[in-house]
Amino acid sequence: MAAVTLYAEFTAKPGQEGIVADLIAGLADDVHREPGNEVFTVYRERDNPAKFFVFERYADDDAFAVHIGAPYGAVFNGKLGDLIEEDGSQLTFLTESP
């Protein structure tokens, strides 16, 4: 099975950057403990620290399904919704280029 690779992007509302940073740091701790998680790295744009970018990779579709079904993910997304400009995290799935 192929790895599942994606990135998520979202922008904190003005004044909410610190709360969002704390939330995503807590989620990262949980995700790093998932057996099928290979990478979960959080970035912020250098010139716009309200903009968050998360690079993720999971061993396969099953590992990604476990990630999506994790209860702490639902808690994170429930809290995140009111703190960001977008209607949820914007996900982009990637395939490896030859």
Side-chain angles (χ1 to χ4, degrees):
M1 292 180 128
V4 176
T5 306
L6 68 141
Y7 62 89
E9 296 179 276
F10 47 88
T11 308
K13 290 179 179 176
Q16 302 303 312
E17 299 89 349
I19 295 169
V20 171
D22 289 345
L23 280 174
I24 193 70
L27 178 66
D29 289 342
D30 290 330
V31 174
H32 288 147
R33 287 191 286 273
E34 294 173 9
N37 174 256
E38 296 177 352
V39 178
F40 189 93
T41 307
V42 179
Y43 298 90
R44 291 171 80 169
E45 280 190 15
R46 181 179 60 197
D47 297 328
N48 180 8
K51 182 76 174 183
F52 289 79
F53 178 95
V54 184
F55 181 74
E56 306 176 47
R57 188 172 57 240
Y58 302 89
D60 53 30
D61 289 331
D62 292 339
F64 185 65
V66 167
H67 168 69
I68 292 299
Y72 46 81
V75 170
F76 169 81
N77 287 318
K79 291 179 180 178
L80 187 68
D82 291 335
L83 302 171
I84 62 173
E85 294 180 0
E86 301 83 3
D87 186 23
S89 297
Q90 307 302 297
L91 304 180
T92 302
F93 288 84
L94 305 170
T95 58
E96 191 169 335
S97 180

